[in-house]
Amino acid sequence: MVEDLEVKSLIQSALNYFEEHLIELRNIFNNEYYPVPNGFTKSDVNLEDPRLFSNIYSLLY
């Protein structure tokens, strides 16, 4: 979880941008009758665990 509000807003903007791409990719897969990969789901993340990365690393990544 990102604590710095500026970093958090930048990461949120990037997330919104990539979510639009995921919609496009899903449409491409469906139009080609190709199964859509699952990728990571909420069951792959434990929000109770401590952070692995600093705010700066999250931003750079």
Side-chain angles (χ1 to χ4, degrees):
M1 182 174 292
V2 178
E3 296 170 353
D4 186 304
L5 294 180
E6 289 182 53
V7 173
K8 185 174 185 172
S9 69
L10 289 170
I11 290 175
Q12 185 62 51
S13 295
L15 178 62
N16 294 341
Y17 177 78
F18 289 115
E19 284 177 340
E20 291 176 18
H21 284 273
L22 285 175
I23 292 168
E24 264 316 298
L25 288 170
R26 188 172 289 117
N27 289 336
I28 291 170
F29 278 103
N30 288 332
N31 289 339
E32 296 295 325
Y33 302 104
Y34 197 81
V36 177
N38 288 333
F40 289 107
T41 66
K42 290 184 180 193
S43 65
D44 296 315
V45 177
N46 183 354
L47 296 176
E48 301 300 318
D49 283 345
R51 288 178 16 172
L52 295 176
F53 307 110
S54 69
N55 289 332
I56 298 300
Y57 181 82
S58 297
L59 181 60
L60 292 173
Y61 182 73

